[in-house]
Amino acid sequence: MSNIYESAEATLGFISSPCLTKVELRVACRGISDRDALSKPDPCVVLKMQSHGQWFEVDRTEVIRSSSGPVFSKIFLVDYYFEEVQRLRLELHDISSGNNGLRDADFLGAMECTLGQIVSQRKLTKALLKQGNTTGKSSITVTAEELSGNDDYVELSFSARKLDDKDFFSKSDPFLEIFRINDDGTESLVHRTETVMNNLSPVWKSFKVSLNTLCSGDHERALKCTVWDWDSNGKHDFIGEFQTTFKELRAEQDGKQIQWECINPKYQVKKKNYRNSGMVILNHCKIIKMYSFLDYIMGGCQIQFTVAIDFTASNGDPRNSCSLHYIHPYQPNEYLKALVAVGEICQDYDRFENMKGKCICQPVSHDFAVNFDEDNPECAGIQGVVEAYQNCLPKIQLYGPTNIAPIIQKVASSASEEMHTKEAMEYFILLILTDGVITDMADTREAIVHASHLPMSVIIVGVGNADFTDMQILDGDDGILRSPKGEPVLRDIVQFVPFKDFKHASPAALAKSVLAEVPNQVVDYYNAKGIKPKCISDYETTRTFSP
């Protein structure tokens, strides 16, 4: 029999192409048609990128309620490769009130282009195409800006006092917008706060923004801050504005109280005794050093990789050529393709190249070691997992429902121990390969919400032709995942991909899709915890390597 591992590996064709630079994309739309005579749309833009002929969602903006001309504060960050044609698709959806998912949303139009077109023009405006490629009055504008080398963030918190009252029967509902003034005099929206209802002295939530986004690294660049009174019809009332710089904001760190008069220029001209429309106060300014994925990896952080393989009966008898677990002499099955595609990359980030292989199986056991050694379930790299998988197939009996909560809880238990060290030494990735819709959804949601507090990510690859629609719930891309008790995930740690979407693409595309979010998930976890990467010298003195 030929080496199945080598056969699977040979089909991957991994190409390492260095990222030329990172680009920020800002999005705005105009002329969106109203739903009806009584309501305006609640728009959201979804960014997709094409890989091997398939469109994959990369990110999406916030939902802006009641707006036919939204300017989104969400900024898309994408890698730019000069030598590649990077095709983008931006879809505009009208999100149902009270629901941020796309399942019940109305499609309003889409625009396709390349990243090169946006970068070369810096500002690209095109009509949105509806179903059937028909055009209407709506258009979308995408603005590109290269990300500078300054990756630091600043955390800001604002409040206001004695703002003008713009409502007759209640108090104003204020929100704050911050714009960066560009070299050409144009304005770029940096951040939009939440709305504080019925309050003339609001305290807005603190937020983080990169120094590049805030001021392009120029501490003396002008920033324009505008306060509005929110109205449900989208026609917000102007309260006032002021200008500042990051240099002025930074003075708060020295204990100096920073506040500004909020000025309405029209009132300033018309009213003789006009002083201001309220005061805006800077409560907090903190510069946060942001570390990269490589900072943590080079500081000694190891990726602990666990594979969970679905051995439930729905896969079919492995001795039958129709089974998803059938071992063909020359062609790897879908489980092997997915296992090698993802594991081949992850093993490089564990200096000991030890991987844990677990199996999902009911009712004999929720999970067991794929090498049948519970005391030492680790395998020697991805090839060791593949060999253990092949060796165990003739020795097991496949059984019923697919329960994945137990394996998530087991990996979470190890991640919990790492969390208490308060060091960036081990980050856990659980790869689940399954052929069916899971049967313990409630327990799985609970387990994921718990795991979102830990140094852990979960990748689920759906193998076979089952309907995986419900699995999308676990992936936070379509709204916020919540436990059965209503507790939301602290951060999005789940990536779900159906393997059938990659049947006609290189498995390398699968690896790229499922692993693309991991570096950011690692960075987000440690930065949120305030955990710095260990210095190389510290790492070498605290960890002993095998010869």
Side-chain angles (χ1 to χ4, degrees):
M1 180 181 292
S2 65
N3 190 317
I4 292 293
Y5 169 73
E6 292 179 357
S7 175
E9 184 181 21
T11 66
L12 300 183
F14 290 111
I15 299 176
S16 178
S17 179
C19 171
L20 183 62
T21 188
K22 289 185 179 292
V23 175
E24 290 183 337
L25 301 180
R26 290 178 168 83
V27 182
C29 298
R30 296 189 65 183
I32 305 175
S33 301
D34 295 348
R35 288 181 188 169
D36 50 54
L38 299 177
S39 62
K40 293 181 180 293
D42 299 330
C44 170
V45 171
V46 176
L47 172 65
K48 295 184 177 181
M49 297 188 75
Q50 191 178 73
S51 177
H52 299 275
Q54 302 280 337
W55 289 108
F56 301 101
E57 179 175 342
V58 176
D59 209 342
R60 65 179 64 177
T61 68
E62 75 277 17
V63 178
I64 297 182
R65 299 297 177 189
S66 302
S67 179
S68 56
V71 177
F72 298 97
S73 62
K74 169 71 177 182
I75 297 172
F76 296 132
L77 182 62
V78 296
D79 292 336
Y80 168 63
Y81 300 90
F82 173 76
E83 71 278 10
E84 294 183 15
V85 177
Q86 295 173 268
R87 302 191 184 279
L88 307 181
R89 177 179 172 87
L90 292 106
E91 296 179 354
L92 180 65
H93 296 268
D94 181 9
I95 306 297
S96 302
S97 182
N99 176 23
N100 286 343
L102 295 181
R103 187 170 298 182
D104 299 321
D106 294 325
F107 175 75
L108 299 180
M111 181 270 279
E112 294 183 13
C113 63
T114 66
L115 183 56
Q117 288 175 315
I118 302 174
V119 169
S120 63
Q121 299 182 39
R122 298 200 64 177
K123 189 174 186 178
L124 177 66
T125 300
K126 294 182 72 173
L128 286 165
L129 299 180
K130 299 181 179 180
Q131 298 286 5
N133 288 333
T134 59
T135 59
K137 296 181 180 180
S138 57
S139 64
I140 187 168
T141 298
V142 187
T143 306
E145 180 181 355
E146 182 180 359
L147 190 66
S148 74
N150 192 334
D151 294 330
D152 290 348
Y153 274 62
V154 58
E155 184 177 71
L156 299 169
S157 172
F158 292 90
S159 62
R161 186 173 65 246
K162 297 181 180 179
L163 294 176
D164 284 353
D165 194 351
K166 296 291 184 177
D167 297 334
F168 290 110
F169 301 108
S170 63
K171 298 177 182 178
S172 293
D173 308 316
F175 66 91
L176 173 69
E177 290 184 328
I178 301 175
F179 294 87
R180 183 189 68 210
I181 307 300
N182 301 314
D183 293 336
D184 59 1
T186 59
E187 300 175 357
S188 296
L189 179 62
V190 171
H191 181 77
R192 180 185 294 118
T193 70
E194 77 284 5
T195 300
V196 178
M197 305 299 289
N198 196 32
N199 197 326
L200 300 182
S201 297
V203 178
W204 292 291
K205 294 178 181 178
S206 62
F207 61 92
K208 295 176 184 178
V209 62
S210 73
L211 281 179
N212 182 79
T213 299
L214 180 65
C215 60
S216 299
D218 179 0
H219 292 194
E220 296 187 354
R221 182 179 296 276
L223 304 174
K224 177 184 174 182
C225 303
T226 308
V227 181
W228 299 87
D229 170 33
W230 179 85
D231 283 331
S232 59
N233 61 7
K235 297 179 180 180
H236 311 307
D237 298 317
F238 176 73
I239 293 178
E241 63 186 16
F242 62 92
Q243 285 202 359
T244 185
T245 63
F246 177 65
K247 183 178 180 180
E248 185 179 18
L249 297 176
R250 195 177 56 181
E252 191 275 340
Q253 290 185 303
D254 300 326
K256 182 180 178 182
Q257 185 180 38
I258 310 295
Q259 61 182 18
W260 303 266
E261 289 186 306
C262 191
I263 301 298
N264 186 323
K266 290 184 178 179
Y267 289 177
Q268 204 171 31
V269 173
K270 292 181 179 180
K271 295 184 178 182
K272 291 183 179 180
N273 297 324
Y274 176 78
R275 294 184 59 186
N276 57 59
S277 294
M279 301 294 294
V280 176
I281 303 102
L282 175 63
N283 299 326
H284 175 70
C285 177
K286 179 182 178 182
I287 298 176
I288 302 171
K289 172 66 178 176
M290 298 299 289
Y291 298 97
S292 70
F293 177 65
L294 288 183
D295 285 333
Y296 288 104
I297 294 299
M298 295 176 73
C301 183
Q302 303 289 289
I303 299 297
Q304 297 295 330
F305 188 65
T306 301
V307 183
I309 303 171
D310 183 350
F311 278 156
T312 50
S314 55
N315 286 276
D317 188 338
R319 295 168 294 183
N320 190 317
S321 61
C322 296
S323 170
L324 291 170
H325 283 302
Y326 179 70
I327 301 297
H328 192 279
Y330 307 108
Q331 180 63 36
N333 60 36
E334 290 187 6
Y335 277 99
L336 279 170
K337 287 180 181 179
L339 176 59
V340 173
V342 180
E344 181 76 9
I345 294 175
C346 290
Q347 71 176 359
D348 290 342
Y349 297 95
D350 182 350
R351 281 178 168 82
F352 302 104
E353 294 192 0
N354 291 328
M355 295 186 172
K356 294 180 181 178
K358 306 290 287 186
C359 297
I360 305 168
C361 191
Q362 276 271 119
V364 174
S365 173
H366 285 295
D367 64 84
F368 60 89
V370 73
N371 63 1
F372 297 112
D373 187 349
E374 290 295 337
D375 295 328
N376 183 26
E378 294 180 342
C379 302
I382 190 62
Q383 186 166 2
V385 177
V386 169
E387 291 173 354
Y389 165 72
Q390 291 177 273
N391 292 335
C392 81
L393 278 173
K395 304 174 185 177
I396 61 172
Q397 177 68 48
L398 277 58
Y399 282 96
T402 308
N403 290 350
I404 68 174
I407 189 65
I408 295 175
Q409 293 163 351
K410 181 164 288 190
V411 176
S413 177
S414 299
S416 181
E417 294 178 8
E418 168 66 14
M419 181 184 69
H420 294 308
T421 68
K422 297 183 180 179
E423 292 185 342
M425 294 304 294
E426 291 183 325
Y427 190 90
F428 294 78
I429 294 179
L430 170 60
L431 170 64
I432 300 174
L433 307 175
T434 178
D435 83 309
V437 179
I438 61 175
T439 51
D440 61 342
M441 179 62 79
D443 290 341
T444 297
R445 286 164 52 199
E446 185 77 41
I448 290 173
V449 169
H450 171 68
S452 69
H453 294 258
L454 305 173
M456 177 176 170
S457 296
V458 180
I459 298 168
I460 305 175
V461 178
V463 176
N465 296 314
D467 181 4
F468 294 108
T469 302
D470 290 341
M471 298 285 274
Q472 300 289 353
I473 298 173
L474 302 179
D475 191 327
D477 292 340
D478 198 25
I480 298 175
L481 175 69
R482 295 179 182 272
S483 72
K485 299 176 183 177
E487 180 186 355
V489 289
L490 182 65
R491 57 194 183 93
D492 182 12
I493 65 166
V494 177
Q495 177 76 345
F496 170 74
V497 174
F499 189 88
K500 60 186 176 183
D501 288 353
F502 295 85
K503 274 194 172 181
H504 304 294
S506 165
L510 170 68
K512 183 177 181 180
S513 177
V514 300
L515 293 174
E517 296 182 8
V518 168
N520 285 337
Q521 290 171 349
V522 172
V523 170
D524 288 347
Y525 173 79
Y526 288 121
N527 277 323
K529 293 286 186 181
I531 299 175
K532 300 178 181 179
K534 293 176 72 69
C535 297
I536 294 297
S537 57
D538 293 340
Y539 171 72
E540 290 174 344
T541 57
T542 57
R543 191 154 191 169
T544 304
F545 294 96
S546 300

